[in-house]
């Protein structure tokens, strides 16, 4: 019964997050600004999360890809990082704390995200739902590591 409830929850999750199941996100960690793209993998119940930022240590552009899974936590939905890969290096980064995105709706039907990374940092997140056309354009932007 528990597995059936989880299965039904995961089926309903995309409708809760967005009709398109794709979001553009912005958040900061100290002086470092992160720009991200979140979408549901069309072949599974997993979510993909790509984060672009400039590494303050060397000024180089970074692109981190995370695979997230959904859990209900109280009144919110948590998308927890299951795997993390630095697309620049092609391996798991030692200097990046995986992200855990919390999504909830307020009583006035406003939607909110927050991020509590595995290092315990709570980060405020600005989010915008994407149309399919915008997502198609953005995924190209988040597939290339820009050189600075």
């Amino acid at each position: 019964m528990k597995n059936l409830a989880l299965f039904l929850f995961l089926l309903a999750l995309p409708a809760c997050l967005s009709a398109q199941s794709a979001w553009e996100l912005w958040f900061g960690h100290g002086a470092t600004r992160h720009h991200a793209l979140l979408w549901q993998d069309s072949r599974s119940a997993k979510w993909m999360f790509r984060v672009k930022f400039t590494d303050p240590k060397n000024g180089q552009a970074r692109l981190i890809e995370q695979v997230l899974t959904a859990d209900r936590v109280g009144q919110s939905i948590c998308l927890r990082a299951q795997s993390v890969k630095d697309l620049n290096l092609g391996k798991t980064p030692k200097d990046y704390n995986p992200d855990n995105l919390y999504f909830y709706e307020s009583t006035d039907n406003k939607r909110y995200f927050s991020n509590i990374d595995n290092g315990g940092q709570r980060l405020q997140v600005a989010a915008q739902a994407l149309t399919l056309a915008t997502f198609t354009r953005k995924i190209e932007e988040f597939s290339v590591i820009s050189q600075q």
Side-chain angles (χ1 to χ4, degrees):
M1 186 65 160
K2 183 178 180 181
N3 288 341
L4 178 60
L6 179 60
F7 176 73
L8 293 174
F9 165 73
L10 292 174
L11 283 178
L13 182 62
C16 293
L17 290 177
S18 158
Q20 293 78 31
S21 298
W23 294 82
E24 187 170 12
L25 306 166
W26 299 266
F27 56 95
H29 186 268
T32 305
R33 299 289 159 229
H34 296 72
H35 184 198
L37 191 62
L38 171 69
W39 73 96
Q40 187 173 26
D41 183 356
S42 61
R43 300 165 303 211
S44 72
K46 296 186 185 218
W47 289 78
M48 303 302 296
F49 189 49
R50 286 196 181 162
V51 182
K52 293 172 78 167
F53 65 98
T54 301
D55 191 328
K57 290 182 268 181
N58 59 20
Q60 296 294 309
R62 302 270 306 267
L63 183 60
I64 303 293
E65 181 177 82
Q66 301 173 71
V67 176
L68 311 173
T69 57
D71 292 313
R72 169 99 33 210
V73 177
Q75 297 298 316
S76 64
I77 295 167
C78 179
L79 300 174
R80 295 184 196 280
Q82 298 301 305
S83 67
V84 180
K85 184 177 184 179
D86 185 320
L87 295 180
N88 302 68
L89 302 175
K91 61 182 180 179
T92 301
K94 295 179 181 173
D95 62 346
Y96 189 89
N97 283 320
D99 296 293
N100 301 294
L101 298 172
Y102 290 82
F103 170 83
Y104 61 96
E105 288 189 78
S106 66
T107 54
D108 57 354
N109 292 326
K110 291 186 180 175
R111 295 176 175 165
Y112 297 95
F113 278 98
S114 66
N115 181 354
I116 303 175
D117 69 23
N118 281 3
Q121 290 287 327
R122 178 182 290 273
L123 310 170
Q124 291 302 314
V125 178
Q128 177 177 337
L130 299 176
T131 64
L132 181 57
T134 303
F135 171 72
T136 302
R137 191 176 74 251
K138 290 287 180 180
I139 193 66
E140 288 181 31
E141 177 186 332
F142 280 82
S143 296
V144 184
I145 302 163
S146 63
Q147 299 303 314
Q148 298 187 11

